[in-house]
Amino acid sequence: MTIKLKKINNTIIKCKKCPRLVSFIKKISIQKRKQNKNEKYWGKPVPGFGDNKAKLMILGLAPAAHGGTRTGRAFTGDKSGNFLFKSLFLTGISNQDFSEKANDNLKLHDTYITNILKCVPPGDKPESKELNRCSNYFENEIENLKNLKVIVTLGKVAFDNCLKIYKKKFMIQKKFEFKHGNKYLLPDNKVLIACYHPSPRNVNTKLVTTNMINQLLINAKKIAKLQNKDLEEITQIFFENSQKFFNL
C-alpha cells in the first residue's frame, strides 16, 4: 500500500466525526454477539484494503456490525463476505475463497475493497450528514488509486451514494438505473457497474446467485483491462447504449 493510502487509512481509523456512529460502534464492541463474546472487537472505523495498483474497486455501503466492525476489515467475518469471496477466488481476484480475519493471508489482485461509509450505522441506515462527512475519504481513495478504471457497487444504496459523490464534483444529467449488471461511463472515464448485494436475504431468495456475481466480476475484469484511449474513443457510443456495449 502506498504512503498516501496508508495515511488515508490511518485518518479513517482515528475518525470521530459522527458521535452517533462512534457511540453505536462502542455499544456493539461491548455487548458483542453471542458467538463472538470472547473476541476483542476492532471497534473503530474500517478502512479499505487491497492492491494499491488496483484497476477494480468493489464498493459496499458500510461495514457489518459483527463483520468488519469486529475484524477490522471490510467484508470480513460475515455471511455477505463469505459469499463474495468465493466468487472473488473463482474469478481470480483473490488468492483464497474466504475472508475471516485481518491477518488470514488474504491478497487481492488488481482490486481494492472499501465502503462508502467507514462505520456501521444503527439499523444499517446512515444519515445524510454522516454520508457527507465520510464522502471525503472515498474521494481520497479514488484520487489515490491511480490505475482505477471500474467501480462495482454492491447494493443500491452504495450505487446511489457513489453517484451522489460524483454529482458533487461533476455535472451529471444522465439517468442511472440500478439493476444488476448495468454499466455506465462516469465523467472521469471510470466505469460504474451495479451489482445486487450478496446479503443472506438476497442469496436465500435467489435474487443474486454465485453465477450472477461471477459473470459480473469477469466482465468487470475485462473492462478494467481496456486502455484509456479505448475508453475515450467509445465514450459517445457508451453513453448512447451503456446497457449493452460491455456485455462481454
Side-chain angles (χ1 to χ4, degrees):
M1 190 171 286
T2 65
I3 293 174
K4 285 187 177 180
L5 278 173
K6 285 182 179 178
K7 188 175 180 180
I8 291 167
N9 283 354
N10 286 335
T11 303
I12 289 169
I13 291 168
K14 295 175 183 176
C15 183
K16 297 184 184 296
K17 291 179 181 178
C18 303
R20 187 179 81 111
L21 301 185
V22 172
S23 176
F24 187 60
I25 289 174
K26 184 178 180 180
K27 178 182 177 182
I28 289 170
S29 300
I30 293 172
Q31 294 182 351
K32 302 182 181 180
R33 187 171 56 175
K34 186 176 180 180
Q35 56 263 51
N36 305 118
K37 65 180 181 180
N38 295 322
E39 295 181 38
K40 183 178 180 180
Y41 274 48
W42 168 255
K44 290 175 280 212
V46 180
F49 74 101
D51 191 340
N52 63 282
K53 295 181 180 178
K55 294 179 180 179
L56 170 65
M57 174 184 279
I58 296 175
L59 181 67
L61 171 63
H66 303 284
T69 304
R70 174 173 60 88
T71 62
R73 194 172 69 191
F75 288 97
T76 298
D78 61 79
K79 290 182 179 179
S80 295
N82 292 342
F83 187 92
L84 175 64
F85 273 92
K86 287 177 183 176
S87 287
L88 294 181
F89 177 71
L90 288 171
T91 54
I93 292 174
S94 67
N95 67 325
Q96 59 192 39
D97 65 355
F98 61 92
S99 178
E100 295 176 349
K101 52 187 177 180
N103 60 348
D104 60 8
N105 297 315
L106 173 70
K107 287 183 174 56
L108 300 177
H109 308 303
D110 277 339
T111 302
Y112 197 83
I113 295 178
T114 192
N115 288 297
I116 289 280
L117 195 68
K118 309 307 182 187
C119 298
V120 59
D124 291 325
K125 294 181 180 179
E127 295 178 353
S128 294
K129 60 185 178 182
E130 292 164 349
L131 288 164
N132 288 337
R133 288 174 188 147
C134 215
S135 64
N136 285 342
Y137 297 134
F138 175 61
E139 290 174 19
N140 288 338
E141 288 171 324
I142 292 286
E143 289 171 7
N144 284 281
L145 291 168
K146 302 298 184 181
N147 298 323
L148 188 63
K149 292 183 179 179
V150 179
I151 302 173
V152 173
T153 55
L154 300 179
K156 187 176 188 301
V157 184
F159 178 85
D160 289 344
N161 280 283
C162 179
L163 283 173
K164 185 178 178 181
I165 290 168
Y166 264 85
K167 286 177 180 179
K168 287 187 345 187
K169 190 173 182 180
F170 301 99
M171 285 291 294
I172 299 177
Q173 296 180 335
K174 180 178 174 60
K175 183 179 179 181
F176 290 73
E177 179 189 2
F178 179 77
K179 184 179 179 182
H180 188 83
N182 278 8
K183 307 168 188 70
Y184 300 95
L185 190 66
L186 294 167
D188 60 355
N189 275 345
K190 292 178 180 60
V191 176
L192 177 68
I193 304 180
C195 178
Y196 291 154
H197 196 286
S199 66
R201 180 177 180 178
N202 286 349
V203 171
N204 291 337
T205 59
K206 300 193 183 303
L207 179 65
V208 66
T209 64
T210 299
N211 186 58
M212 288 169 65
I213 297 284
N214 290 355
Q215 191 57 55
L216 185 145
L217 292 173
I218 289 168
N219 284 344
K221 285 178 64 178
K222 288 180 180 178
I223 295 168
K225 289 179 181 178
L226 292 173
Q227 298 299 313
N228 287 334
K229 63 181 180 65
D230 297 324
L231 284 174
E232 290 170 4
E233 288 173 1
I234 56 98
T235 296
Q236 188 59 42
I237 299 172
F238 191 87
F239 270 108
E240 290 173 356
N241 200 8
S242 61
Q243 310 279 326
K244 299 177 181 177
F245 191 85
F246 278 129
N247 286 331
L248 303 173

